């Protein structure tokens, strides 16, 4: 038995007031919603919030401002950054079920 994921997302804002990213990542999805049939046969579409390379570089460099309620917020470990709620980008992703390719649109 194996797990076969088409796409993974992680929303940690409830736990940390921010989403944690690894600085070597190129793209990270935080949450998925409104899963629906895609624009062509064999595809699905979902709304997403995500961090692209530019957002991850900002989070790992100078960084974003800390949320106002951040006194209990976990500090990112070495090689990590944090993307507070409101700084993630939003859009939709189309997933081709057969090839397992996902692309932002």
């Amino acid at each position: 038995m194996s797990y076969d994921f088409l796409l993974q997302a992680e929303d940690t804002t409830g736990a940390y007031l921010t989403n944690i990213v690894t600085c070597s990542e190129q793209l990270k999805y935080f949450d998925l919603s409104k899963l629906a049939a895609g624009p062509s046969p064999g595809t699905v579409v979902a709304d997403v919030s995500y961090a692209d390379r530019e957002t991850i570089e900002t989070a790992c460099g100078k960084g974003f401002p800390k949320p106002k309620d951040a006194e209990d917020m976990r500090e990112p470990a070495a090689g990590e950054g944090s993307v507070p709620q409101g700084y993630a980008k939003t859009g939709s992703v189309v997933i081709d079920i057969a090839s397992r390719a996902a692309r932002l649109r």
Side-chain angles (χ1 to χ4, degrees):
M1 184 174 186
S2 69
Y3 292 100
D4 188 13
F5 295 101
L6 294 174
L7 188 70
Q8 291 181 321
E10 173 180 74
D11 186 353
T12 56
T13 55
Y16 304 119
L17 302 174
T18 185
N19 285 297
I20 302 296
V21 294
T22 302
C23 296
S24 60
E25 292 177 297
Q26 297 296 312
L27 179 69
K28 179 150 187 186
Y29 296 110
F30 296 128
D31 63 68
L32 303 171
S33 61
K34 299 181 184 175
L35 185 65
S40 58
T43 63
V44 293
V45 65
D47 288 348
V48 295
S49 69
Y50 64 95
D52 60 6
R53 186 72 219 145
E54 178 185 3
T55 305
I56 293 170
E57 285 175 356
T58 300
C60 292
K62 183 179 176 189
F64 293 106
K66 285 189 176 185
K68 292 180 182 175
D69 300 333
E71 57 192 52
D72 295 330
M73 186 179 101
R74 139 170 129 70
E75 289 295 322
E80 292 181 336
S82 62
V83 180
Q85 193 168 13
Y87 287 90
K89 295 182 178 180
T90 59
S92 61
V93 64
V94 176
I95 306 164
D96 183 292
I97 296 171
S99 69
R100 304 202 165 333
R103 65 175 168 79
L104 288 167
R105 67 174 191 163

